[in-house]
């Protein structure tokens, strides 16, 4: 039987760039692939990103000689240059490790929600 552990936390990051530029780094496939990787020893087996309400993201990678690692996301709310709300699950092989709900907000430096 799987256990359930509910937690929540907030991470504040100050990124170099205007909100629109940072939003693109999360919402456009080629931009996100430049930074969204786990380990240089992993090779990408599948990647797609459709960052819009109802869209999804798949990132399947393989550790050389190992099991598949799979990230599956579903986008619920996207406000260009301002907010992305999505849920995702992480899997190794056939085993789901976690499932999470995430809200990312993009604001000019100095503003906080």
């Amino acid at each position: 039987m799987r256990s359930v552990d509910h937690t929540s936390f907030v991470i504040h990051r100050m990124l170099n760039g205007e909100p629109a530029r940072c939003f693109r780094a999360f919402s456009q496939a080629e931009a996100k692939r430049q930074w969204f990787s786990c380990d240089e020893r992993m090779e990408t087996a599948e990647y797609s990103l459709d960052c819009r309400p109802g869209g999804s993201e798949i990132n399947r990678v393989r550790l050389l000689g190992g099991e598949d690692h799979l990230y599956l996301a579903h986008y619920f709310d996207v406000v260009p240059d301002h907010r992305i709300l999505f849920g995702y699950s992480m899997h190794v092989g056939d085993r789901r490790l976690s499932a999470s709900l995430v809200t990312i907000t993009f604001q000019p430096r100095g503003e906080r929600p």
Side-chain angles (χ1 to χ4, degrees):
M1 174 183 233
R2 295 183 182 178
S3 65
V4 177
D5 185 14
H6 296 279
T7 19
S8 69
F9 56 91
V10 176
I11 299 173
H12 292 278
R13 292 278 190 254
M14 300 298 280
L15 303 175
N16 291 326
E18 295 299 315
R21 181 174 180 226
C22 296
F23 177 85
R24 285 191 302 274
F26 279 86
S27 63
Q28 294 180 356
E30 288 308 310
K32 190 167 184 181
R33 287 188 73 184
Q34 291 180 24
W35 64 268
F36 191 66
S37 62
C38 299
D39 188 306
E40 62 192 28
R41 297 171 296 156
M42 292 185 162
E43 61 183 10
T44 301
E46 178 182 8
Y47 185 80
S48 66
L49 170 60
D50 180 9
C51 185
R52 64 182 171 85
S56 62
E57 182 175 10
I58 299 170
N59 187 25
R60 182 185 313 274
V61 297
R62 283 191 190 100
L63 187 59
L64 300 178
E67 295 181 291
D68 279 5
H69 292 232
L70 176 63
Y71 168 90
L72 293 172
H74 182 78
Y75 291 90
F76 301 110
D77 184 43
V78 177
V79 179
D81 303 339
H82 296 284
R83 180 179 60 242
I84 302 173
L85 180 109
F86 62 100
Y88 74 91
S89 58
M90 299 290 295
H91 308 256
V92 173
D94 294 330
R95 190 182 55 189
R96 185 179 65 231
L97 300 178
S98 65
S100 301
L101 181 63
V102 178
T103 302
I104 301 173
T105 56
F106 303 91
Q107 300 171 322
R109 194 174 289 267
E111 289 184 22
R112 285 222 167 162

